[in-house]
Amino acid sequence: MKFCADLCRTFEHKLEGGRALVGCATALESYVRITRLSGIRLSVRDRQGLMDAALKFLTSREASGIPYKPKRHLMLHLVIQTEKFGNPRIIGTWHDESLNRQLANVCGSAHAAVWQKRVLATFNHSRRPSAMYHW
């Protein structure tokens, strides 16, 4: 993300929606910085900073050419729930998002009669048991 943000800043004047892209990048950098520097429980100030960053990103994304997707609003839900669930760094799924697609593919191809065995065996084999639980 830092690399992309740096490129946006460097070529802002050449990019269509460059100023908005820099705004989006700055907002996302701020979001990540707050989550990385905060502990499990966020202060009110940190929660407000996350909300400000999320809103800045979401309001700048259209002018930057980033398409709206229904899941984008989930970013706000994640921030709103920080008081209850804590830092998104702790509860977020950063490293295993690709596993959702892989699991969906395995589930879709498994026969109903042996579904659970096929899903567990195939998914476990493809991910290596030690890799599944490595954080």
Side-chain angles (χ1 to χ4, degrees):
M1 182 177 58
K2 288 183 180 189
F3 175 72
C4 291
D6 186 52
L7 285 176
C8 288
R9 288 184 186 96
T10 301
F11 299 104
E12 174 183 352
H13 62 285
K14 293 182 179 183
L15 294 169
E16 185 176 336
R19 180 176 292 219
L21 278 169
V22 170
C24 287
T26 302
L28 292 175
E29 286 176 318
S30 177
Y31 180 94
V32 170
R33 183 175 45 258
I34 292 168
T35 60
R36 296 305 181 261
L37 295 176
S38 299
I40 294 173
R41 290 280 169 211
L42 296 167
S43 67
V44 172
R45 181 179 175 181
D46 289 337
R47 290 196 325 263
Q48 182 64 55
L50 288 181
M51 183 57 79
D52 292 344
L55 289 173
K56 183 176 180 181
F57 171 76
L58 292 171
T59 56
S60 299
R61 62 125 204 109
E62 185 174 4
S64 67
I66 298 172
Y68 177 79
K69 293 187 178 190
K71 287 191 174 186
R72 296 239 192 272
H73 82 278
L74 293 177
M75 183 179 193
L76 293 178
H77 289 287
L78 187 64
V79 173
I80 290 167
Q81 294 175 354
T82 56
E83 186 174 12
K84 181 176 182 180
F85 296 113
N87 193 332
R89 172 178 56 92
I90 307 300
I91 63 170
T93 55
W94 295 91
H95 300 290
D96 61 351
E97 279 297 317
S98 64
L99 297 178
N100 291 335
R101 180 175 35 132
Q102 183 183 5
L103 183 58
N105 290 337
V106 171
C107 291
S109 65
H111 189 275
V114 293
W115 189 83
Q116 70 274 16
K117 290 179 182 179
R118 169 81 188 274
V119 169
L120 292 174
T122 304
F123 194 70
N124 190 37
H125 175 72
S126 67
R127 291 294 304 155
R128 297 184 325 268
S130 62
M132 282 183 63
Y133 300 105
H134 184 267
W135 299 93

